[in-house]
Amino acid sequence: MEPQDPVKREGRLTPVIVLATLIAAFGSSFQYGYNVAAINSPSEFMKDFYNYTYYDRVGEYMNEFYLTLLWSVTVSMFPFGGFLGSLMVGPLVNNLGRKGTLLFNNIFSIVPALLMGFSELAKSFEMIIVARVLVGICAGLSSNVVPMYLGELAPKNWRGALGVVPQLFITIGILVAQIFGLRSLLANEEGWPILLGLTGIPAVLQLLFLPFFPESPRYLLIQKKDEAAAKSALRRLRGWHDVDAEIEEILEEDRAEKAVGFISVLKLFKMRSLRWQVISIIVLMAGQQLSGVNAIYYYADQIYLSAGVNEDDVQYVTAGTGAVNVLITVCADVISWMPYVSIACVISYVIGHALGPSPIPALLVTEIFLQSSRPAAYMVAGTVHWLSNFTVGLVFPFIQVGLGAYSFVIFAVICLLTTVYIFLIIPETKSKTFIEINRIFIKMNKVPGVHPEKEELKEFPPSTARQ
């Protein structure tokens, strides 16, 4: 029997929503984390494969610089693909839908899984490099589309809780890749192609099961203009028949957004009223990635080896880094105590990043921009995120060659400068409405105080502002 109290209805989290969330997050977000870390553990075996393949072709081995360059390109092609994927989000979600985009995105997982899985058999390291670009596109799409899909499926009171599920599955993906990356499992001469190829399994499962779940009702109603399909999807998601009130709510939100107008990326950079907001997201997103945390996931084994950790123990320490809340037990030969200090520092570093720099910048984008400028702000933030990630992946091996144990000093300086910026510029947003936060930035940007909800439109032509 349908519940009559609308308050009770608001709190329902139905099996359909739960299963759709798990399938979307496992099929997409999990792969993001898996491919961040999967490349680390088998790196030495893969470099040997690169070298032997090169020798078979030209009759000599690569020099150290060329091998390092080729490997850093292999690693950094993943965030470069992520950058490309983030640029594809808008056109795909508007034409294919949220669920449709996730299903289409499986192409960028299954194809590279096959390329990486058969690369050794084909004696082609180029297949791995191309595959890394493709799985990067998969990550770039999923990191934007999964939160969008889940946010539009969920009841309002569950959006925050479901919003953290993709990030949770990213960290699970990192941990699973590090566990499978143990020498006794797949990070060995025979197993590394399987380790890389396993990324296709979540995609196949998503391809099989996600079609049975609803498309975003908001997409069906606003983009497709199909009210009957939107109502049908909402009925399945909410577990009751009368969804007219929520349909009207979606239509009202759409009318409000159209009334506010749309701000392009170019307009975002030109508007004086958004100057400090734009600078802030660029600084925070760059600081998030240039803090060096992805260097740990991409090159963890090399970092620990440089710190003096026994070669046989590196695999266990790397897996422990992925599960920072689990006690690390390393069965070692007799070595000095300093490597263990390095291990503790790295794990503390990962914990610190997970507490603040990892989740907060994206949340801040939502808080410091109003609805009209938020899409453009996310595009800027995503671009800075992936290009900074690409830079770290590409240059870190050379930094390590040049600075050795002092490699992370550069990242420490960046973290310090980012901290100073946050302390001096970023206002506290806790318990403040979007309008109240906007008023703070009005003062910072030294623009005339106008109606807060119209502040982003004050530089528009009058005809646009009146729409």
Side-chain angles (χ1 to χ4, degrees):
M1 186 176 182
E2 286 190 10
Q4 298 303 312
D5 187 348
V7 175
K8 291 181 180 178
R9 286 186 175 187
E10 188 181 29
R12 293 188 63 177
L13 191 62
T14 61
V16 174
I17 294 176
V18 172
L19 291 174
T21 297
L22 294 176
I23 291 168
F26 177 65
S28 297
S29 303
F30 175 90
Q31 293 187 71
Y32 180 167
Y34 187 90
N35 285 293
V36 164
I39 202 78
N40 167 63
S41 295
S43 58
E44 294 308 312
F45 300 102
M46 293 176 68
K47 287 178 187 176
D48 288 343
F49 165 66
Y50 282 28
N51 231 339
Y52 297 147
T53 302
Y54 186 82
Y55 182 84
D56 287 342
R57 294 176 184 177
V58 303
E60 61 181 33
Y61 292 110
M62 300 181 196
N63 61 52
E64 191 63 30
F65 174 83
Y66 184 62
L67 181 59
T68 301
L69 177 62
L70 196 59
W71 183 248
S72 66
V73 167
T74 302
V75 172
S76 59
M77 282 301 100
F78 176 74
F80 178 71
F83 165 66
L84 298 179
S86 66
L87 298 180
M88 297 165 59
V89 171
L92 286 177
V93 295
N94 288 330
N95 288 286
L96 301 181
R98 282 58 163 156
K99 185 182 83 169
T101 300
L102 291 178
L103 291 173
F104 176 76
N105 194 27
N106 290 313
I107 294 172
F108 299 111
S109 177
I110 295 171
V111 171
L114 293 172
L115 288 174
M116 291 187 288
F118 289 103
S119 59
E120 186 182 34
L121 192 64
K123 295 184 177 180
S124 171
F125 52 75
E126 293 86 354
M127 289 171 64
I128 298 174
I129 296 173
V130 171
R132 289 286 291 176
V133 176
L134 295 178
V135 292
I137 292 174
C138 176
L141 281 168
S142 67
S143 63
N144 290 280
V145 180
V146 174
M148 187 186 302
Y149 179 56
L150 299 185
E152 295 181 5
L153 292 190
K156 284 186 293 187
N157 58 313
W158 281 101
R159 283 175 189 163
L162 295 187
V164 303
V165 172
Q167 183 63 37
L168 173 63
F169 271 80
I170 289 172
T171 60
I172 292 172
I174 290 172
L175 177 59
V176 169
Q178 291 170 334
I179 292 173
F180 284 175
L182 296 175
R183 301 288 187 268
S184 57
L185 293 179
L186 294 175
N188 49 57
E189 194 170 351
E190 297 79 25
W192 67 261
I194 300 173
L195 175 65
L196 300 183
L198 285 177
T199 187
I201 292 178
V204 171
L205 292 175
Q206 185 180 73
L207 205 55
L208 290 174
F209 293 109
L210 192 60
F212 295 101
F213 292 88
E215 176 58 273
S216 158
R218 183 183 179 88
Y219 168 76
L220 293 172
L221 187 61
I222 303 304
Q223 260 87 27
K224 301 295 288 184
K225 311 295 183 186
D226 191 340
E227 185 172 332
K231 285 184 175 181
S232 176
L234 274 175
R235 286 167 184 152
R236 288 188 62 197
L237 291 165
R238 301 295 178 258
W240 54 70
H241 184 78
D242 183 10
V243 294
D244 289 345
E246 191 164 356
I247 288 288
E248 182 56 33
E249 186 177 292
I250 293 172
L251 289 172
E252 281 191 18
E253 288 177 1
D254 180 56
R255 286 192 289 268
E257 289 175 13
K258 288 178 178 175
V260 171
F262 173 75
I263 294 177
S264 67
V265 172
L266 183 61
K267 188 72 178 178
L268 191 75
F269 280 98
K270 287 183 176 180
M271 292 178 70
R272 182 181 171 187
S273 58
L274 294 175
R275 179 180 301 163
W276 279 109
Q277 292 96 311
V278 173
I279 294 172
S280 294
I281 63 165
I282 292 173
V283 170
L284 291 180
M285 282 296 179
Q288 179 198 58
Q289 292 303 308
L290 298 179
S291 66
V293 70
N294 278 313
I296 292 176
Y297 294 128
Y298 292 147
Y299 302 110
D301 284 14
Q302 294 178 37
I303 292 169
Y304 285 127
L305 286 170
S306 298
V309 178
N310 186 291
E311 186 174 358
D312 294 332
D313 300 328
V314 165
Q315 56 182 321
Y316 302 109
V317 180
T318 299
T321 303
V324 293
N325 60 336
V326 178
L327 178 65
I328 298 176
T329 304
V330 180
C331 302
D333 297 330
V334 178
I335 55 176
S336 69
W337 56 270
M338 187 53 70
Y340 293 97
V341 174
S342 298
I343 294 169
C345 288
V346 171
I347 290 178
S348 299
Y349 180 67
V350 171
I351 292 172
H353 192 271
L355 286 173
S358 179
I360 298 303
L363 176 61
L364 202 66
V365 175
T366 302
E367 292 184 325
I368 68 177
F369 289 91
L370 297 181
Q371 186 69 30
S372 57
S373 59
R374 206 171 286 151
Y378 265 107
M379 186 172 292
V380 172
T383 299
V384 175
H385 169 97
W386 284 110
L387 291 181
S388 300
N389 192 328
F390 168 76
T391 301
V392 171
L394 184 65
V395 306
F396 182 75
F398 297 98
I399 294 174
Q400 198 171 30
V401 169
L403 298 180
Y406 299 98
S407 300
F408 276 79
V409 171
I410 295 175
F411 299 132
V413 172
I414 292 173
C415 288
L416 176 62
L417 293 175
T418 305
T419 302
V420 171
Y421 181 89
I422 292 170
F423 180 78
L424 295 177
I425 302 298
I426 304 296
E428 178 56 69
T429 60
K430 183 179 179 181
S431 301
K432 291 184 176 68
T433 67
F434 292 152
I435 299 301
E436 288 171 337
I437 296 167
N438 188 253
R439 286 195 185 111
I440 296 172
F441 278 101
I442 286 175
K443 294 178 181 177
M444 291 174 59
N445 290 314
K446 294 182 172 60
V447 292
V450 296
H451 247 310
E453 64 272 16
K454 296 296 183 183
E455 167 57 26
E456 291 179 358
L457 297 180
K458 73 176 204 64
E459 296 181 12
F460 274 30
S463 60
T464 305
R466 286 194 298 266
Q467 289 178 357

